[in-house]
Amino acid sequence: MRYKKKSEIFFILCLLVLFVYTLNSCGSFSDPQKLILDLNSHLITLGIEELPEIEYRTTEYLIYYDGSLNTIFIPSYNELETEQMNFIDKYVSGEENFIELFNWFFIAHEYGHVYQFNNSQFEMSPFQIESEANRFAIQFLIDHDIERLIGLRDVLLLLKQNPLLGELATDEAYFNSNYLQIPIKSPELYLLYQIEMILYHVENGLNVDGAI
């Protein structure tokens, strides 16, 4: 119990550092429209002519791509349900980080799913699909906004220190077997899977590009 209390105190201190860092480094958050335009241009260079529609609507999945509609659904922090808001405050540490994840990084991630949908890559396992979508996003962002990506990496490293996430375990086989249920029944576990995938590909991408 004493160790747990110390870890919780340490995590709170990390959040204070994170809050100050976010205010200083991010300032006013950029409009996702510029990112969307750049991603559309990127898809065209990859030979994809049917670009996705964008719908700003907050759902239980927060952000996702519906291949049957060719539409990416993007959430708004101000439209979150009470349970969603509590989750974001508890595991993502508030609005600033919500914007960095769900109104910036995961938009590029969903464009990765658009690319997969147009190249028959949904035949991969669910874990591989999500991992490759993160890799797609990171490769794009390294070329377009590397400083912000490095800032997100630092944020995720701090979020991962949340003692509540430290009690969870990620397993690829479990993810593959419960892919549709995890985001709804255990969103904190799904978040941890995504954090670990993102950090893995960020470090690999930055090392390959000589950015660190």
Side-chain angles (χ1 to χ4, degrees), residues 5-104:
K5 287 182 178 179
K6 285 184 178 179
S7 65
E8 290 174 350
I9 292 171
F10 176 74
F11 179 64
I12 291 171
L13 291 174
C14 287
L15 291 184
L16 290 174
V17 173
L18 173 61
F19 177 73
V20 173
Y21 168 84
T22 303
L23 290 179
N24 290 335
S25 63
C26 297
S28 59
F29 295 101
S30 60
D31 189 330
Q33 289 302 320
K34 174 63 166 59
L35 174 65
I36 290 168
L37 289 173
D38 289 343
L39 283 162
N40 283 338
S41 297
H42 185 52
L43 286 185
I44 292 172
T45 65
L46 295 174
I48 298 174
E49 299 180 355
E50 190 172 350
L51 301 176
E53 298 291 330
I54 302 296
E55 183 169 338
Y56 293 92
R57 174 151 60 95
T58 305
T59 70
E60 60 181 353
Y61 288 102
L62 292 181
I63 186 167
Y64 71 99
Y65 170 66
D66 187 330
S68 65
L69 300 175
N70 193 29
T71 300
I72 296 173
F73 294 87
I74 299 175
S76 168
Y77 182 82
N78 294 327
E79 296 177 357
L80 293 175
E81 300 288 343
T82 300
E83 186 175 353
Q84 292 175 318
M85 186 73 74
N86 291 338
F87 169 79
I88 294 300
D89 289 342
K90 188 174 183 179
Y91 293 100
V92 182
S93 302
E95 183 177 5
E96 290 86 358
N97 291 336
F98 174 89
I99 292 172
E100 287 298 280
L101 283 169
F102 295 97
N103 294 159
W104 186 66

Side-chain angles (χ1 to χ4, degrees), residues 135-195:
R135 188 169 69 87
F136 176 96
I138 288 159
Q139 289 179 333
F140 173 83
L141 293 172
I142 283 175
D143 292 333
H144 289 78
D145 205 343
I146 190 170
E147 290 186 4
R148 191 169 178 179
L149 181 62
I150 291 173
L152 178 64
R153 174 199 62 183
D154 296 341
V155 167
L156 295 180
L157 286 170
L158 286 175
L159 292 182
K160 192 178 176 183
Q161 295 182 42
N162 186 332
L164 297 174
L165 291 180
E167 298 173 356
L168 303 175
T170 53
D171 176 78
E172 184 173 343
Y174 181 82
F175 186 92
N176 289 332
S177 300
N178 300 275
Y179 175 57
L180 295 178
Q181 291 76 34
I182 295 174
I184 303 301
K185 295 183 178 180
S186 185
E188 67 278 8
L189 177 58
Y190 190 77
L191 175 65
L192 181 58
Y193 273 109
Q194 291 291 350
I195 287 175

Side-chain angles (χ1 to χ4, degrees), residues 110-121:
E110 297 307 325
Y111 267 82
H113 288 319
V114 176
Y115 176 80
Q116 292 170 335
F117 187 82
N118 283 273
N119 288 275
S120 302
Q121 291 187 4

